[in-house]
Amino acid sequence: MSGRAARTRERILATSLALFNDLGEPRVTTNQIADETDISPGNLYYHFHNKDDIVHCLFERFESRIQEILVTPQSRAADMEDMWLYLHLIFEVIWEYRFLYRDLPHLLGRDRKLQQRFRRIIDRKVATAAAILEGLVSSGVMAASPEEIQAVAENIALLATQWLTFQQLRHRAAPLDQQLGRGVYQVISLVVPYLRGEARTLLDRLSRVYLV
Amino acid sequence: MSGRAARTRERILATSLALFNDLGEPRVTTNQIADETDISPGNLYYHFHNKDDIVHCLFERFESRIQEILVTPQSRAADMEDMWLYLHLIFEVIWEYRFLYRDLPHLLGRDRKLQQRFRRIIDRKVATAAAILEGLVSSGVMAASPEEIQAVAENIALLATQWLTFQQLRHRAAPLDQQLGRGVYQVISLVVPYLRGEARTLLDRLSRVYLV
DNA sequence: GTCTATATAGGGATAGAC
DNA sequence: GTCTATCCCTATATAGAC
């Protein structure tokens, strides 16, 4: 594959991602993608076997991006800073590939492999959230039983997975950073009641930033 | 419309609901519906203007069912019993019409009216949750600031809206009552940390029932 | 690599007989 | 009310020239 071919391939992926995010994958046709990329429909099929191939390719990029984040190099106990960073990174990647979350059942319904891989990502989300919470407990910032940690970790994963979809249902046209900020705030609000005195007010101040 | 026509119409709606819930609305064709109802494709279009008409009709039933639940006849302050009942009723209706939640963006994306009406339902969910939480505070069972109540109410609404979708992503084949039970448990776990001493253990016992 | 032209299939919806 | 037959459109995907 020459440099030119690689560049065309890249442009197809870029416009596909943009259109998918904007309209939802089911409503975007291959002709539309070709048109927007300024190539012919036939040329598109030279670079990709079919539409699912494009989706698959985009998913793989998403997957490697998010796995980078979910690899927690926990050499020390986590603090609230880790939590904050973790949430921001997660939300940013989800935003970048939001079409995957928008029509999740539809996309995964036609590909078992994809389903498995996505499931593994969610499992990791829960595990990472739990690890951070345990870190908070062991460093004394937070007080919670193992069952409580598990329940909160699952809720964090669910919120981080479904927040954008839910939010866009409620307030379609809100600006990006506000939506992501609200998401982080909502997730943090899950943790707040388990924090101890001083840390609780610290977080309280931090989270207020997002409610502008 | 004679009794016979009404009965056919009803059968179409019943099989549509079953197929939609099972496979997702986008993957069910009108021919499939007709076939499963043991009528001809043409006959289906005698009873319904088009496919969206069927979806619309099912949505209206869902809407009236859920609005019945969300009309809180609050003549007194709420207690945990109200919360428990509220959650169970909500989850049951969502389960019955789960196809609406499965492909929500896709279904609402092609109908502004539907979008508005669904948005109103969610707003009501948040409001009802907030009202119950305020009831818990005013009866002394719970301690929380207005901001905390608002944040928790939104999280309750999100969880009650997206739980099933999320859950079926993770564990496809779990039995119904277990899935709904876990959902109720997860929502209740949002409230637990705000409860006071005795109520907290009471709820703790109650919620453990769901983790079987 | 890229194009134009076209095959093919599936599903929504209608016509008209009974 | 219900059927059979069929139309039509859309979207995916391919063929073959350049």
Side-chain angles (χ1 to χ4, degrees):
Chain A
M1 165 157 46
S2 84
R4 183 172 197 163
R7 243 181 296 124
T8 304
R9 205 184 138 84
E10 214 46 51
R11 281 171 53 225
I12 292 171
L13 285 173
T15 46
S16 296
L17 180 57
L19 286 171
F20 288 167
N21 280 339
D22 216 39
L23 306 169
E25 183 272 349
R27 307 182 70 160
V28 176
T29 73
T30 50
N31 283 345
Q32 231 174 319
I33 296 171
D35 201 45
E36 201 82 11
T37 317
D38 284 315
I39 61 171
S40 67
N43 194 7
L44 187 145
Y45 283 89
Y46 169 81
H47 290 282
F48 292 93
H49 192 39
N50 54 36
K51 196 184 173 189
D52 276 6
D53 192 15
I54 298 178
V55 172
H56 207 269
C57 197
L58 288 172
F59 175 83
E60 268 173 357
R61 293 183 174 197
F62 158 76
E63 190 182 38
S64 71
R65 283 283 309 277
I66 205 146
Q67 273 173 351
E68 241 175 90
I69 298 170
L70 293 176
V71 170
T72 31
Q74 231 77 295
S75 55
R76 47 162 185 74
D79 55 16
M80 281 308 298
E81 193 69 20
D82 293 320
M83 174 69 105
W84 181 85
L85 182 66
Y86 166 67
L87 290 175
H88 265 276
L89 292 174
I90 289 279
F91 271 106
E92 237 161 68
V93 177
I94 290 179
W95 172 260
E96 218 171 307
Y97 293 89
R98 57 194 178 281
F99 81 96
L100 289 172
Y101 287 82
R102 181 178 163 149
D103 299 286
L104 206 46
H106 181 247
L107 287 169
L108 300 186
R110 58 192 192 206
D111 192 336
R112 277 279 149 74
K113 285 264 180 235
L114 227 59
Q115 202 168 6
Q116 254 181 339
R117 288 163 73 176
F118 201 89
R119 201 173 291 169
R120 231 172 280 146
I121 290 174
I122 293 178
D123 287 345
R124 273 224 197 154
K125 271 190 201 168
V126 177
T128 306
I132 293 178
L133 293 177
E134 277 159 18
L136 292 175
V137 169
S138 76
S139 63
V141 191
M142 178 174 147
S145 71
E147 293 82 26
E148 285 172 327
I149 286 180
Q150 188 57 30
V152 174
E154 295 220 14
N155 282 338
I156 289 176
L158 189 148
L159 228 73
T161 302
Q162 308 278 40
W163 169 259
L164 266 175
T165 311
F166 185 72
Q167 192 61 8
Q168 298 208 322
L169 226 71
R170 297 198 72 192
H171 320 284
R172 208 172 339 133
L176 166 59
D177 43 350
Q178 193 182 321
Q179 285 190 47
L180 298 189
R182 276 291 307 199
V184 173
Y185 172 78
Q186 285 296 124
V187 175
I188 288 184
S189 78
L190 294 175
V191 183
V192 168
Y194 293 99
L195 294 181
R196 283 177 164 166
E198 48 184 299
R200 181 157 177 172
T201 59
L202 177 78
L203 182 69
D204 218 31
R205 265 179 292 140
L206 188 72
S207 59
R208 255 177 240 290
V209 175
Y210 296 115
L211 278 188
V212 182
Chain B
M1 167 156 49
S2 83
R4 183 173 197 166
R7 243 180 296 126
T8 304
R9 205 183 140 85
E10 214 47 51
R11 280 172 51 226
I12 292 172
L13 286 172
T15 46
S16 296
L17 181 58
L19 285 171
F20 288 167
N21 279 339
D22 217 38
L23 306 169
E25 183 272 349
R27 308 182 70 159
V28 176
T29 72
T30 49
N31 283 345
Q32 232 173 317
I33 296 171
D35 201 44
E36 200 83 10
T37 318
D38 284 315
I39 60 172
S40 67
N43 193 8
L44 187 147
Y45 282 89
Y46 170 81
H47 290 282
F48 292 93
H49 191 39
N50 53 36
K51 197 184 173 189
D52 276 6
D53 192 15
I54 298 178
V55 172
H56 208 269
C57 197
L58 288 172
F59 174 82
E60 269 174 355
R61 293 184 174 196
F62 159 76
E63 190 182 38
S64 73
R65 282 282 309 276
I66 206 146
Q67 272 174 352
E68 239 175 90
I69 297 170
L70 293 175
V71 170
T72 30
Q74 230 76 295
S75 54
R76 47 165 184 73
D79 55 17
M80 282 309 297
E81 193 69 20
D82 293 320
M83 174 70 104
W84 181 86
L85 181 65
Y86 166 69
L87 290 175
H88 264 277
L89 292 174
I90 290 279
F91 272 106
E92 236 161 70
V93 177
I94 290 179
W95 172 260
E96 216 171 308
Y97 292 89
R98 58 194 177 280
F99 81 96
L100 289 172
Y101 287 82
R102 181 178 164 151
D103 300 285
L104 207 45
H106 182 247
L107 287 169
L108 300 186
R110 59 192 193 207
D111 191 337
R112 279 279 149 75
K113 285 264 180 237
L114 226 60
Q115 201 168 5
Q116 254 181 340
R117 287 163 74 175
F118 201 88
R119 201 173 291 168
R120 231 171 281 147
I121 290 174
I122 293 178
D123 288 345
R124 272 223 198 155
K125 270 190 203 168
V126 177
T128 306
I132 293 178
L133 293 176
E134 277 158 19
L136 292 175
V137 169
S138 77
S139 64
V141 191
M142 177 174 150
S145 71
E147 292 81 27
E148 286 172 327
I149 285 180
Q150 188 56 30
V152 174
E154 295 220 15
N155 282 337
I156 288 176
L158 189 148
L159 228 74
T161 302
Q162 308 278 37
W163 169 258
L164 266 174
T165 311
F166 185 72
Q167 192 60 9
Q168 299 209 321
L169 226 69
R170 299 196 71 192
H171 321 284
R172 208 169 343 130
L176 166 58
D177 43 350
Q178 192 182 321
Q179 285 193 47
L180 298 190
R182 277 290 307 197
V184 173
Y185 173 79
Q186 285 296 124
V187 175
I188 287 184
S189 78
L190 294 175
V191 184
V192 168
Y194 294 100
L195 294 181
R196 285 176 161 165
E198 49 182 298
R200 182 157 177 171
T201 59
L202 178 77
L203 182 69
D204 219 31
R205 265 180 290 140
L206 188 71
S207 59
R208 253 178 242 291
V209 175
Y210 297 114
L211 279 188
V212 183

